[in-house]
Amino acid sequence: MHVIIAGNSESEGQEAVRKIQEETLTGKVEFLYCDLASMKSIRQFVQRFRAKDCPLHVLVNNAGVMLVPERKTEDGFEEHFGLNYLGHFLLTNLLLDMLKQSGTHSHSARIITVSSATHYVGKLHLNDLQSRCSYSPHGAYAQSKLALVLFTYRLQHLLTANGSHVTANVVDPGVVNTELYKHVFWVVKVAKWMTAWLFFKTPEEGASTTIYAAVSPEMEGAGGCYLYNEERTKSADVAYDEELQRRLWTESCKMVGISDESSRVL
């Protein structure tokens, strides 16, 4: 595969490219700048990607922040909702036509979105998606992860209705030992440092289900699944609420400034 790493740190992205090239002895990996907290940056990234004129068989939506203090993206969105959810929502929609063109009857293009078990306790506040009434880092994070599951199910419904050779699935990577926990309380940080080897997955282990969803023959043609430890499992009951899926989609289109599914997806 020709892999393009999209990220908001040029230095870390280039370092990842260097490591992959050393380990795999391939030049088919590169970095492109994309800040998921900026609608402008997302659109610029899509323009640069399109200019490469290459197919898009797999899109992995993996960026995220967790338990950050109350703050906004440059577009004025609450950061969990704006980066974790809306950034991926816009990126996916802007790349959908390329995914459709790349998918075939025997090899569907695949969209994999990384959520979290936290979505099970999440509540979607359609009248206050920006958590303006009362901000809770835990509540905002859980809402963003629930939104990703609702988005995936709605997207798969629309793709199926259109007969597109594209599948959309959502992944729970488990509890992974990464820098995602830098905003938790110091007591939790200490506990994490002491127990990570026992209870936390390594980044490689955490990526396994995403990779499974991206390349496994067993997932060919399968969409609308919630995957954990490389197995299909049940997400939160509320995530299957089709009316909630539809309303979130419509509101999300308004927030990021794209037309609704009638012209964008269908």
Side-chain angles (χ1 to χ4, degrees):
M1 284 191 170
H2 178 180
V3 176
I4 294 178
I5 299 173
N8 67 343
S9 172
E10 184 79 27
S11 59
E12 291 182 11
Q14 296 295 354
E15 177 64 13
V17 168
R18 185 189 65 77
K19 286 183 178 179
I20 294 170
Q21 289 176 335
E22 284 182 356
E23 293 174 10
T24 63
L25 302 180
T26 178
K28 288 190 173 183
V29 57
E30 60 183 299
F31 173 81
L32 285 180
Y33 182 85
C34 181
D35 182 357
L36 269 289
S38 164
M39 302 294 117
K40 180 180 178 181
S41 179
I42 294 168
R43 292 180 181 277
Q44 290 174 338
F45 166 82
V46 171
Q47 287 182 336
R48 289 194 297 271
F49 179 77
R50 287 181 180 278
K52 292 183 174 295
D53 197 27
C54 59
L56 178 57
H57 296 105
V58 178
L59 171 65
V60 178
N61 291 319
N62 184 60
V65 293
M66 184 176 77
L67 307 184
V68 296
E70 186 173 10
R71 59 194 188 198
K72 296 180 179 179
T73 67
E74 69 173 47
D75 302 288
F77 301 123
E78 185 278 314
E79 190 168 11
H80 289 101
F81 195 77
L83 194 160
N84 294 2
Y85 170 64
L86 287 177
H88 291 121
F89 179 86
L90 177 61
L91 179 67
T92 303
N93 272 279
L94 295 180
L95 293 173
L96 262 183
D97 59 337
M98 299 188 71
L99 286 155
K100 290 178 182 179
Q101 294 165 13
S102 303
T104 65
H105 179 72
S106 57
H107 291 92
S108 296
R110 304 185 186 190
I111 301 167
I112 298 94
T113 297
V114 180
S115 181
S116 161
T118 311
H119 92 275
Y120 286 105
V121 297
K123 291 181 173 59
L124 195 79
H125 302 285
L126 274 172
N127 296 323
D128 186 27
L129 292 172
Q130 304 303 319
S131 304
R132 293 191 178 101
C133 292
S134 60
Y135 182 76
S136 158
H138 294 83
Y141 176 70
Q143 176 179 245
S144 71
K145 290 301 180 178
L146 173 59
L148 289 170
V149 183
L150 289 158
F151 155 65
T152 298
Y153 292 166
R154 178 61 177 169
L155 176 58
Q156 184 59 56
H157 171 79
L158 295 169
L159 290 167
T160 300
N162 187 230
S164 301
H165 299 305
V166 182
T167 59
N169 291 298
V170 61
V171 165
D172 173 4
V175 183
V176 188
N177 189 13
T178 69
E179 292 184 8
L180 194 62
Y181 296 86
K182 62 185 177 183
H183 292 288
V184 299
F185 293 122
W186 69 269
V187 174
V188 179
K189 287 183 180 178
V190 171
K192 173 180 175 289
W193 177 76
M194 294 175 63
T195 62
W197 64 275
L198 182 62
F199 298 112
F200 285 63
K201 292 183 178 181
T202 65
E204 291 77 12
E205 291 168 338
S208 65
T209 302
T210 297
I211 296 169
Y212 173 80
V215 301
S216 171
E218 296 174 19
M219 292 302 296
E220 175 55 46
C225 302
Y226 185 86
L227 302 169
Y228 176 64
N229 284 345
E230 300 182 17
E231 293 184 356
R232 304 179 199 190
T233 187
K234 189 174 181 293
S235 61
D237 290 340
V238 68
Y240 299 102
D241 185 333
E242 294 183 2
E243 177 62 14
L244 189 60
Q245 296 168 14
R246 185 191 65 77
R247 292 177 65 190
L248 174 63
W249 184 284
T250 298
E251 187 61 27
S252 302
C253 288
K254 294 177 184 176
M255 296 171 83
V256 302
I258 61 174
S259 54
D260 208 340
E261 66 255 28
S262 58
S263 58
R264 175 57 63 178
V265 178
L266 299 181

